[in-house]
Amino acid sequence: KAGVTQTPRYLIKTRGQQVTLSCSPISGHRSVSWYQQTPGQGLQFLFEYFSETQRNKGNFPGRFSGRQFSNSRSEMNVSTLELGDSALYLCASSLLGALNTEAFFGQGTRLTVV
Amino acid sequence: ELKVEQNPLFLSMQEGKNYTIYCNYSTTSDRLYWYRQDPGKSLESLFVLLSNGAVKQEGRLMASLDTKARLSTLHITAAVHDLSATYFCAGATNSGNTPLVFGKGTRLSVIA
């Protein structure tokens, strides 16, 4: 079965711009979580969506937002980009949510802010 | 708030040797996950440990969970170069649908 698909794989943006990343979960999975991975901070939770509703949110500024569509696909948006937003953004898909079922990760989107 | 600590953060080991990566967590965690990440790649799920005393093995890797000690271990037996990667453990608290909390990862390098 198809895995978690993230697009685009690589992105270069300049400071002040905004960016939208996309994640298509495994078919039938209703939960999508987003994580930011940087060398210094490791893997940090951004937010989780379940059935189009944000269920959990990490400690990130309001510039980071997301949404989930009725087909469970999710997007995250980062506005007014800063250099520190450069990171690998990973999304994870699970049937019901990470606590209840195993989470499967996509290949990630590597965002570079210059 | 759940905190997850791994050690060591860096591990260089010779082929054929055994070693253990440790994962301590601060509060009750309903389950414990181990992931592998190759450079530039995503996270690959290795093990899901559901209860105290759980032990799972796949090839040269064996993971165990001791909920009383709040400790999980990933044991590597007779390491081979292909095991070189970064290994993460992650837990989640019991209350509600909380997200995974990851350790910093252990970067393993297996050398000849």
Side-chain angles (χ1 to χ4, degrees), chain B residues 20-34:
Chain B
T20 301
I21 299 171
Y22 297 89
C23 176
N24 292 91
Y25 52 95
S26 59
T27 66
T28 303
S29 179
D30 189 53
R31 57 194 62 200
L32 202 292
Y33 300 81
W34 283 96

Side-chain angles (χ1 to χ4, degrees), chain B residues 39-97:
Chain B
K41 301 290 181 64
S42 186
L43 295 168
E44 174 192 354
S45 178
L46 293 174
F47 302 108
V48 181
L49 302 169
L50 303 178
S51 58
N52 187 42
V55 176
K56 289 196 174 180
Q57 183 161 6
E58 180 74 35
R60 300 174 189 275
L61 301 178
M62 183 174 72
S64 65
L65 179 62
D66 181 344
T67 57
K68 293 180 182 176
R70 294 180 183 163
L71 171 69
S72 179
T73 60
L74 180 67
H75 186 73
I76 302 154
T77 302
V80 293
H81 180 70
D82 284 353
L83 290 179
S84 297
T86 300
Y87 294 86
F88 292 91
C89 64
T93 57
N94 284 338
S95 57
N97 288 297

Side-chain angles (χ1 to χ4, degrees), chain A residues 37 56 98-100 102-103 106, chain B residues 31 33 35 37 42 45 93 96-97:
Chain A
Q37 186 178 26
N56 281 296
L99 184 63
N100 298 305
E102 192 172 355
Chain B
R31 57 194 62 200
Y33 300 81
Y35 287 90
Q37 186 177 38
S42 186
S45 178
T93 57
N97 288 297

